[in-house]
Amino acid sequence: MDTDLIFQLAGISIVITVIYTVLKQAGRDEFAFSTLLLGIVVVLAMVIPKIAGLFETVRSVFQIY
């Protein structure tokens, strides 16, 4: 697996966690939750193509049509 992707996901997770914590402490719960959802969407947008590639590889190895 590409290590750059792992570091990007870790970096995004750290940034989202810090922003979420700051907003939560400031009493902006709605913005904190929105930030959390945005982070999840960004991470999923990065991971889903990799998972699709994995399934295609498994299909080609086992010759499933």
Side-chain angles (χ1 to χ4, degrees):
M1 179 174 226
D2 194 17
T3 56
D4 290 339
L5 178 66
I6 294 171
F7 287 125
Q8 286 176 351
L9 293 176
I12 290 171
S13 300
I14 291 169
V15 169
I16 294 298
T17 302
V18 168
I19 293 172
Y20 176 80
T21 304
V22 168
L23 289 172
K24 190 81 165 170
Q25 291 293 327
R28 302 288 187 174
D29 294 337
E30 296 85 15
F31 292 126
F33 186 70
S34 298
T35 304
L36 185 65
L37 286 178
L38 179 66
I40 291 171
V41 168
V42 169
V43 167
L44 284 176
M46 294 172 69
V47 171
I48 287 176
K50 298 291 183 181
I51 293 173
L54 172 67
F55 282 130
E56 287 300 319
T57 303
V58 169
R59 285 181 60 190
S60 67
V61 167
F62 292 108
Q63 298 175 352
I64 300 171
Y65 299 105

